[in-house]
Amino acid sequence: MKPDLSVMIAGIRMKNPVMTASGTFGYGPEYADLVDLNQLGAIVVKGICLAPTKGNLTPRTAETASGLLNAIGLPGPGVDGFVREYLPFLRQYDVPVFVNIWGKTVEEYAEVAARFDAVSGIDGLEVNVSCPNIKEGSALFGTDIRMFERVVRAIRAATKLPVIPKLAPNVSDIAEFACCAEACGADAISLINSFPGMAVDIETRGFKLANKTGGLTGPAIKPIALRLVWLAAKAVKIPVIGMGGITTAEDALEFLMVGARAVAVGTASFTNPDTALNVVRGIEAFLAKEGLASVSDWVGALRE
Amino acid sequence: MQLERATVLEHIPIHGGYNLLRMRAPGVAPRVRPGQFIHVKIPHLEECVLRRPFSVFRADGDALAILYKDVGKGTRTLQYLKAGETLSILGPLGHGFPDPNPAAYPIIVAGGYGMAALYLTARTAPVKGIAFFGGRAAKDILCVSDFEALGWTVRVTTEDGSLGRKGIVTDALDEWWLNESAGRAPELFACGPGGMLKAVAHRAIERGWTAWTSMDNSMGCGVGACLTCVLKVREGEGWTWARACREGPVFDARAVLWEEIE
Ligand SMILES: Cc1cc2nc3c(=O)[nH]c(=O)nc-3n(C[C@H](O)[C@H](O)[C@H](O)COP(=O)(O)OP(=O)(O)OC[C@H]3O[C@@H](n4cnc5c(N)ncnc54)[C@H](O)[C@@H]3O)c2cc1C
Ligand SMILES: Cc1cc2nc3c(=O)[nH]c(=O)nc-3n(C[C@H](O)[C@H](O)[C@H](O)COP(=O)(O)O)c2cc1C
Ligand code: FES
C-alpha cells in the first residue's frame, strides 16, 4: 500500500510535505520546464512587497564550503506585478501557492497582507521578518521580539489568509519567537531563513558580495536548522515548516522526525532542479519500507 | 531546457590550459542554438552547491562539446572526468545569438572561451565573414582551424605578438573598418572578457552597427530563479535588471549599460 503523504498546513491540504523555499524557485515559471509543479506539496514564491523593487547591486551571491551566501536584496514585481504577471500562470496548476511577503515598516507589512487578502488564488502568506537587509530604525523585525510581535499582530489583523511567520535563526531563544507567533494568531511557522555571514577575497582585499554581508544557506546550515526546528516544534502546537540545507529525502526525514510537519527545499534546487521531487519520492519509499501508513506517523518520531 | 545525464565521449587537453570535453547528450545537444550554454554539475565536487555555466562549442547530432579552462575549484576538478563517466547537465539555456542578418557582413570578435562560444554562429551564418580573435599570447588562441574549415577568415591579435598581429583585437577591427570594409555595414557577434565587449560595443554604438554581445556574468541557478546573474539594461529613460541566464547571455549592445561593466 502506498503511504499517505498528504499533510494539513495552516488549514491548507498539501499532497505531500515538500515545498519550495522562497527565493530559490522564482515565481513558478522558471522551473516549470524541468519540474512538474503539480507534484510539489506547495510553491512558496520569492519575497514580495508593495511596490516593485530593484534589490542589491552585484555580485549578489558567493559560493562557500557546502553553502551559498546571498544578498539578493529582495528585488520583485510588487503586489500588482505579481498578481498580473505570475498568479495566472501559477493558478493553472493544482498546487497550493504561498506568497512570501515583506515590508519596510509594520504598516507596509500590514498593507501588503491586506492587498493579498483581496486577491483570490493565494493559499497563504509566509512572512519574511528575517531578511538581514530590512531594518526599521536599528531593530530587525526578525530578531527583536517586540518588533516581531507588532508585525505578526498587524498582519493577522489585516488578513483572513493563513499567516506563516518565517523565523530568523540568529536569535538566542527561538522558542520565544515561535510561541509569540502562535500567541499572535499565526497558523504555522517556518524556519530557518538564511544565517548572516560574510566572505572576502584576499586577492582583491575586498568583499565578495556588493552588500558586504549576506545570508548563508545550503548544507552548511543544516545542523543549525535542525536544532532550531526541533526546539521550535517542541514549543508550539501550530505546524512547523522546517528548512535549511535539505538536499536528500534523508535530510527531509530528519526534519520531520524532530517535529516539522512539512519541509522546504531551497539552495539544493540550484544544484539539482529535481531535488524537491526526489525528496518526495524518497520520503514515500522510506515510509513504505518502514511500514508506515502516513507521513504524520513519522512526524516527531524522534526518540527523546 | 532539460536536465540530462550526459556521457563523456572524449576529454582531451587542447593548449593554453583549455580542455575539450565532448559528451553524448541526446536530449540537450539537438536543441542547442548558437550562443546558448549548459549548466554543469561538476562530478566529485559535492561541497560546491552551484553548477558551472559553459557555452556550447559544437553540437552535432546527439553529441555536444565545450571548451573550458582551469580557473578554479570546479574547472580543476572537471579535468579528472574520464571518457565513459557521466555528468549532470542542464540545458540548453539562455537566449543565444540571433541568426545573422543575410544583408549584413558578419564579423566575429572573440577572446578566451568566446572563440568556442561563437563557433555555431559561424557555422550557421549564410555569409562567411571575418573572425577577429584576441588573446595575451599564442596559447590563448583557440579554434582557428575550425573557423577556417567553415570558410571564415581568421585574424589573430596577441598582446605579446607571439601569434598574428601584435596588439589588441579592436585594433584589428579598426584597421578592417578603415581599409577594407568599403563602407559595408557589419553585424558584430562578440564574446569574451568584459573589457573587450565594452570596447566592441562602444565602436558599434558610435558607428551605428548592430552588435550582439555575450555577457560573462557569474551564475547561480542558470534558469532565472535566483537573480544572481543580473546586469543593468536600458528601459525608457532609466534602467532595469536583466538576467544573463534568461534574457541573455547575448544582448543587443545598445541595451547594456556599459558604464557599469568592468
Ligand atoms: C554564459 C557563460 C558561458 C561560459 N562559457 C565558458 C566556456 O565555454 N568555457 C570556459 O572555460 N568558461 C566559460 N564560462 C566561465 C566559467 O563558467 C567559469 O570559468 C567557471 O564557472 C569557473 O568555475 P570554477 O569553480 O573553476 O572557478 P571558481 O573557483 O568559481 O572561481 C575561480 C576564479 O574564476 C573566476 N570566475 C568564476 N566565474 C567566472 C566567470 N563566469 N567569468 C570569469 N571569471 C570567473 C572567479 O572570480 C575566481 O577568480 C562561462 C561563463 C558564463 C557566464
Ligand atoms: C538566493 C536566495 C534567495 C532567497 N530569498 C528569500 C526571500 O525572498 N524570502 C525569504 O523569506 N527567504 C529567502 N531565502 C531563504 C530561503 O527561503 C531559505 O529559508 C534558506 O535558503 C534556507 O534553506 P536552504 O538551505 O534549503 O536554502 C532565499 C535564499 C536564497 C539562497
Ligand atoms: S543565474 Fe539564477 S537568475 Fe540567472
Side-chain angles (χ1 to χ4, degrees):
Chain A
M1 202 189 69
K2 274 196 162 202
D4 177 10
L5 293 187
S6 69
V7 292
M8 286 286 284
I9 299 291
I12 304 297
R13 195 185 149 77
M14 300 181 358
K15 279 175 223 143
N16 64 63
V18 185
M19 349 193 357
T20 62
S22 175
T24 64
F25 211 74
Y27 306 99
E30 295 83 357
Y31 278 106
D33 286 352
L34 299 164
V35 176
D36 178 2
L37 306 184
N38 285 322
Q39 293 185 43
L40 294 166
I43 292 177
V44 184
V45 301
K46 169 85 187 152
I48 290 173
C49 71
L50 214 46
T53 45
K54 286 195 160 149
N56 290 333
L57 296 179
T58 58
R60 289 174 164 184
T61 56
E63 200 182 39
T64 59
S66 297
L68 181 69
L69 268 176
N70 89 80
I72 307 291
L74 296 167
V79 175
D80 293 337
F82 170 75
V83 170
R84 195 176 54 239
E85 291 164 41
Y86 298 105
L87 195 56
F89 171 87
L90 285 165
R91 289 292 34 127
Q92 300 170 344
Y93 294 88
D94 174 28
V95 62
V97 172
F98 293 100
V99 177
N100 181 277
I101 63 166
W102 65 278
K104 290 197 189 69
T105 60
V106 172
E107 295 70 33
E108 202 177 314
Y109 269 103
E111 198 180 336
V112 176
R115 295 281 294 279
F116 278 120
D117 194 63
V119 172
S120 65
I122 287 166
D123 296 283
L125 302 177
E126 182 182 54
V127 186
N128 179 4
V129 286
S130 42
C131 181
N133 310 319
I134 332 162
K135 283 183 188 178
E136 188 182 64
S138 59
L140 289 162
F141 291 116
T143 50
D144 179 311
I145 191 76
R146 279 178 303 272
M147 294 296 289
F148 177 77
E149 181 175 351
R150 279 180 59 204
V151 168
V152 179
R153 275 196 197 290
I155 292 170
R156 179 68 290 166
T159 180
K160 287 183 287 299
L161 285 168
V163 172
I164 310 172
K166 182 168 178 180
L167 308 190
N170 48 320
V171 296
S172 47
D173 183 4
I174 198 78
E176 186 187 18
F177 285 81
C179 293
C180 174
E182 185 171 50
C184 295
D187 300 279
I189 52 172
S190 63
L191 69 160
I192 62 175
N193 208 317
S194 56
F195 206 93
M198 185 168 115
V200 294
D201 187 328
I202 57 168
E203 299 297 331
T204 65
R205 303 189 187 188
F207 295 91
K208 286 200 179 174
L209 297 175
N211 189 56
K212 297 182 180 168
T213 65
L216 184 63
T217 65
I221 67 169
K222 200 192 93 178
I224 298 173
L226 198 63
R227 170 178 173 272
L228 293 171
V229 167
W230 173 63
L231 290 171
K234 286 206 289 194
V236 294
K237 293 200 177 59
I238 52 176
V240 172
I241 302 164
M243 70 192 88
I246 294 177
T247 306
T248 63
E250 289 72 26
D251 294 334
L253 286 159
E254 291 175 20
F255 278 85
L256 296 169
M257 186 171 81
V258 306
R261 275 194 250 173
V263 294
V265 171
T267 305
S269 289
F270 300 159
T271 323
N272 283 307
D274 54 2
T275 301
L277 297 189
N278 287 337
V279 168
V280 174
R281 284 189 278 271
I283 291 173
E284 186 170 21
F286 178 84
L287 296 177
K289 182 183 77 126
E290 293 291 304
L292 296 170
S294 82
V295 68
S296 32
D297 295 337
W298 179 254
V299 170
L302 180 71
R303 297 201 177 104
E304 296 205 44
Chain B
M1 110 180 47
Q2 72 183 74
L3 192 60
E4 182 168 44
R5 195 142 266 292
T7 306
V8 179
L9 297 171
E10 185 183 15
H11 195 183
I12 47 171
I14 306 285
H15 63 249
Y18 278 90
N19 301 286
L20 172 80
L21 175 60
R22 207 161 62 81
M23 60 193 92
R24 202 183 107 79
V28 175
R31 294 183 177 77
V32 173
R33 308 252 317 120
Q36 286 190 301
F37 67 95
I38 58 171
H39 217 18
V40 176
K41 174 80 182 83
I42 308 289
H44 318 298
L45 192 62
E46 293 312 317
E47 72 267 29
C48 284
V49 298
L50 296 182
R51 289 171 175 257
R52 302 292 192 265
F54 299 98
S55 301
V56 175
F57 166 36
R58 307 181 69 126
D60 301 288
D62 283 355
L64 66 82
I66 60 172
L67 273 187
Y68 73 93
K69 189 177 175 171
D70 168 9
V71 298
K73 217 191 294 188
T75 44
R76 191 169 320 130
T77 309
L78 189 58
Q79 295 181 110
Y80 296 110
L81 199 65
K82 293 192 187 64
E85 284 191 89
T86 64
L87 69 165
S88 167
I89 66 168
L90 184 57
L93 299 178
H95 208 92
F97 289 103
D99 289 334
N101 171 3
Y105 186 68
I107 284 195
I108 281 172
V109 186
Y113 70 80
M115 298 166 217
L118 281 154
Y119 175 78
L120 288 177
T121 294
R123 195 163 80 179
T124 49
V127 179
K128 310 299 170 195
I130 303 185
F132 293 98
F133 288 176
R136 217 156 278 147
K139 68 173 176 51
D140 303 317
I141 305 299
L142 310 163
C143 309
V144 173
S145 56
D146 298 292
F147 277 69
E148 286 176 345
L150 295 173
W152 279 65
T153 303
V154 179
R155 303 260 172 94
V156 174
T157 15
T158 51
E159 282 168 41
D160 68 357
S162 53
L163 191 69
R165 184 189 193 287
K166 187 176 157 105
I168 55 172
V169 72
T170 39
D171 297 343
L173 178 65
D174 291 341
E175 223 169 65
W176 172 84
W177 173 241
L178 280 174
N179 305 327
E180 295 172 59
S181 63
R184 275 177 300 186
E187 184 179 26
L188 263 48
F189 301 85
C191 182
M196 189 204 92
L197 295 180
K198 196 168 174 168
V200 169
H202 277 314
R203 283 166 174 75
I205 292 163
E206 211 176 277
R207 297 168 191 170
W209 304 340
T210 301
W212 306 99
T213 48
S214 182
M215 310 303 292
D216 180 53
N217 287 33
S218 55
M219 289 188 180
C221 67
V223 300
C226 74
L227 308 176
T228 289
C229 63
V230 297
L231 65 148
K232 290 182 182 176
V233 297
R234 276 169 231 293
E235 187 187 55
E237 292 297 296
W239 62 271
T240 185
W241 291 115
R243 297 165 298 182
C245 71
R246 272 275 177 176
E247 287 80 42
V250 177
F251 290 89
D252 184 328
R254 283 166 297 200
V256 176
L257 262 66
W258 291 101
E259 57 274 29
E260 302 277 338
I261 312 267
E262 281 169 25

